[in-house]
Amino acid sequence: MDDKTKELIRQCRKIAGRHRVDDGKDFRLKDTDPGDTGHWSEGDKALGEEALAQGKIALATMQERLYAQDRWSVLLIFQAMDAAGKDGAIKHVMSGINPQGCQVTAFGVPSAREQDHTWLWRCMTELPERGRIGIFNRSYYEETLVARVHPKILAAQKLAPSLVTDEIWSERFDDIRGFEKHLARNGTLVLKFFLHISKGEQRRRFLSRLDEPEKNWKFRMGDVDEREHWKDYQEAYEKTIRNTATKDAPWFVIPADHKWYTRIVVAAAIVEALDSLDLHLPEVDDAQKAVLEEARKRLTKAKTES
Ligand code: AMP
Ligand code: MG
């Protein structure tokens, strides 16, 4: 690894470290500032963008190794309030990588078929294969967020009343921790991103969806309804992060009022995590070398062909 890459990884570790929660027990959302931009100020946004470009190049190289090695998979989970910039962060950060090694799945309101299975089922079928990066735009975490904020969602889940007790949320946290441990033990690196936007910035972004015709399509009245449950959502996020932030599957609580900063932190966290894997191109053994030599001979013999 050259010095420039080493320095980049050092920077990524520093940036990501600031926002990583891998032991949730003392986590409080109010200790994190949605307007934070780390050691950059709005004025050196251009420097930040340069850092993001560097991070994306490193990511592309690492992804090629991940794919060639075919040993690890990477699951990136994005959760946030509406308009926090999940879609934009996914688009920007992953834009330099090979689409063949990456798949994005968005999880909306479960279908009737999905409701006939346990809530983890639809996510299990979309997990990334070895060598791939899987991105979940929302996930099973909705089961301790939207389902907790709206009792009618839980009531519609076709669970027998004996299974819906006061323990249901701690049982769900338990299931999630167990599931993520299973993934980690079997070679899936799990990173979870909560894009933390302030209520004021969400309001500004919703208003721009109304004011700017090319953004009108993004507007949904339902998003304004959900905003009225802001406090409940913040509490549900805090409890979720407290109970599911682990070494195996850390949360990154990422300030989301400045989109450029959000994207840098997401990229830094992924670069840092991939660097922790022993990624390398597969070694060519002697038998394979002999095959390559034989191929070279056959191809050079044919060089008279046009
Ligand atoms: P969007 O991501 O803006 O397209 O919206 C998807 C919607 O689906 C959001 O309102 C989510 O809260 C909702 N959703 C996602 N997962 C679930 C779930 N498991 N149960 C109920 N609603 C969900
Ligand atoms: Mg939405």
Side-chain angles (χ1 to χ4, degrees):
M1 196 189 288
D2 61 27
D3 286 350
K4 209 168 142 214
T5 313
K6 273 191 203 142
E7 174 55 20
L8 178 76
I9 287 166
R10 203 181 63 78
Q11 287 292 334
C12 288
R13 208 168 284 144
K14 195 164 123 200
I15 297 167
R18 193 180 163 106
H19 304 289
R20 186 194 301 103
V21 184
D22 57 14
D23 175 2
K25 73 179 182 311
D26 297 323
F27 175 73
R28 283 189 316 181
L29 204 49
K30 72 171 168 38
D31 295 339
T32 68
D33 172 11
D36 183 13
T37 52
H39 62 279
W40 287 287
S41 62
E42 188 68 27
D44 27 59
K45 196 170 147 176
L47 285 177
E49 272 159 8
E50 170 59 26
L52 179 60
Q54 300 269 329
K56 279 158 69 172
I57 294 170
L59 204 58
T61 310
M62 288 169 157
Q63 185 217 7
E64 193 188 357
R65 293 184 186 162
L66 181 84
Y67 188 82
Q69 195 179 20
D70 201 19
R71 171 165 302 209
W72 300 98
S73 27
V74 177
L75 174 62
L76 308 173
I77 294 181
F78 287 82
Q79 288 289 157
M81 297 297 285
D82 290 302
K86 281 187 280 104
D87 299 28
I90 293 169
K91 186 172 112 185
H92 278 265
V93 174
M94 307 316 277
S95 59
I97 71 170
N98 181 355
Q100 189 152 292
C102 176
Q103 91 208 25
V104 184
T105 313
F107 293 97
V109 177
S111 66
R113 179 156 187 252
E114 288 166 350
Q115 293 275 32
D116 275 337
H117 294 268
T118 85
W119 48 270
L120 275 173
W121 177 76
R122 66 174 181 162
C123 293
M124 286 192 193
T125 60
E126 301 301 324
L127 288 171
E129 292 169 32
R130 283 186 210 286
R132 314 281 170 113
I133 298 177
I135 297 175
F136 284 2
N137 185 343
R138 302 186 191 270
S139 64
Y140 46 85
Y141 278 103
E142 293 291 325
E143 295 295 335
T144 66
L145 297 166
V146 72
R148 187 165 193 172
V149 170
H150 295 288
K152 67 175 190 322
I153 291 183
L154 182 63
Q157 289 190 345
K158 300 175 82 172
L159 291 166
S162 62
L163 298 177
V164 185
T165 69
D166 291 346
E167 301 303 307
I168 189 149
W169 310 115
S170 64
E171 287 167 2
R172 286 188 176 188
F173 292 142
D174 221 29
D175 289 345
I176 290 175
R177 283 192 303 265
F179 178 58
E180 291 177 347
K181 188 150 203 86
H182 169 76
L183 293 178
R185 282 174 170 158
N186 289 278
T188 300
L189 186 76
V190 184
L191 304 181
K192 304 168 304 200
F193 299 101
F194 170 47
L195 273 42
H196 183 28
I197 190 177
S198 66
K199 201 174 178 192
E201 179 61 19
Q202 191 200 49
R203 180 173 159 275
R204 280 187 283 282
R205 291 189 192 171
F206 280 170
L207 285 172
S208 79
R209 290 180 180 184
L210 300 177
D211 294 341
E212 297 172 35
E214 69 279 14
K215 289 190 185 166
N216 283 170
W217 66 274
K218 287 192 185 176
F219 183 78
R220 283 192 324 139
M221 194 51 123
D223 293 350
V224 178
D225 297 335
E226 287 315 284
R227 180 179 160 78
E228 282 162 20
H229 300 279
W230 189 272
K231 195 163 164 287
D232 295 340
Y233 270 110
Q234 300 295 301
E235 275 175 29
Y237 268 108
E238 182 171 278
K239 286 181 180 147
T240 296
I241 294 167
R242 266 176 179 257
N243 285 282
T244 59
T246 61
K247 292 260 179 309
D248 288 325
W251 274 101
F252 291 85
V253 179
I254 304 190
D257 281 4
H258 301 281
K259 289 180 180 171
W260 60 273
Y261 185 66
T262 308
R263 292 167 190 170
I264 292 173
V265 184
V266 172
I270 304 170
V271 168
E272 178 212 39
L274 288 179
D275 180 61
S276 72
L277 303 176
D278 58 339
L279 297 179
H280 50 76
L281 296 175
E283 305 238 333
V284 180
D285 61 18
D286 288 346
Q288 180 67 3
K289 277 186 193 143
V291 172
L292 297 179
E293 205 35 56
E294 169 66 14
R296 178 188 301 285
K297 273 191 205 139
R298 286 169 61 184
L299 288 165
T300 31
K301 224 192 273 171
K303 85 172 168 235
T304 47
E305 289 167 14
S306 56

